[in-house]
Amino acid sequence: MRTDPFREFDRLAQQLSGAATPGTWSRPASMPMDAYRAGDDYVIVFDLPGVSPEAIDLDVERNVLTVKAERRPEAVAEGTEMQIAERPLGIFSRQLFLGDTLDADRISAAYENGVLTVKIPVAARAKPRRITIDSAPPATIDGQTVEDPQQLDA
């Protein structure tokens, strides 16, 4: 699996500059993630606190997994004066390029407590397997086993 290095650079630059601009559909903000392998699955965990499950889109096209989510501001009573607004709002997106060794047709996802967990199984063709070696039956002449197969040519 690979991530987009330019998007990672943008995310790092935003963190260093302290920019808290909301993501837009044309320029979404990045979302934090962890990725690891557990047995025959790759597991990717995205932090999306405050995002409703209906506001999350998960798509796969040509071995590219795209996660998009939108966090909208919470409704406050009229006349309320905001004192501090640090929670990021807007559109968040992340793309991962899936290798040919992953089974993109069997991806599963679950969302609980603000965490999106995506499991991608390793393709059967990429799993290690043992290959059996067939041995040829011993050569025979008139029912007698021949020790040297070159005797059959004589």
Side-chain angles (χ1 to χ4, degrees):
M1 288 185 299
R2 296 178 292 147
T3 60
D4 181 358
F6 298 106
R7 181 158 300 180
E8 291 299 309
F9 182 76
D10 285 346
R11 183 180 64 81
L12 180 62
Q14 285 178 354
Q15 286 178 344
L16 293 175
S17 69
T21 57
T24 63
W25 285 109
S26 61
R27 188 161 175 82
S30 185
M31 64 187 84
M33 71 168 218
D34 290 338
Y36 56 91
R37 183 169 178 171
D40 286 339
D41 291 328
Y42 278 94
V43 180
I44 307 158
V45 182
F46 299 93
D47 279 346
L48 295 170
V51 176
S52 69
E54 298 80 29
I56 301 172
D57 289 328
L58 186 62
D59 298 310
V60 176
E61 184 177 345
R62 293 185 179 166
N63 281 357
V64 177
L65 174 72
T66 302
V67 180
K68 276 194 175 183
E70 182 176 9
R71 183 182 304 128
R72 295 183 177 171
E74 292 191 27
V76 293
E78 191 173 320
T80 301
E81 185 178 326
M82 184 65 74
Q83 299 297 311
I84 298 173
E86 294 180 345
R87 295 175 62 217
L89 302 172
I91 309 300
F92 301 87
S93 180
R94 197 78 184 249
Q95 286 189 320
L96 301 172
F97 297 94
L98 307 178
D100 293 333
T101 60
L102 300 178
D103 190 349
D105 294 330
R106 294 185 23 225
I107 294 175
S108 63
Y111 184 70
E112 185 177 348
N113 297 327
V115 177
L116 175 66
T117 303
V118 178
K119 291 185 179 181
I120 308 169
V122 174
R125 68 180 181 277
K127 292 179 185 175
R129 65 189 184 284
R130 186 160 184 87
I131 300 170
T132 58
I133 301 172
D134 293 333
S135 61
T140 59
I141 298 178
D142 298 326
Q144 297 289 325
T145 301
V146 178
E147 298 289 330
D148 183 8
Q150 291 181 354
Q151 289 179 357
L152 294 175
D153 295 333

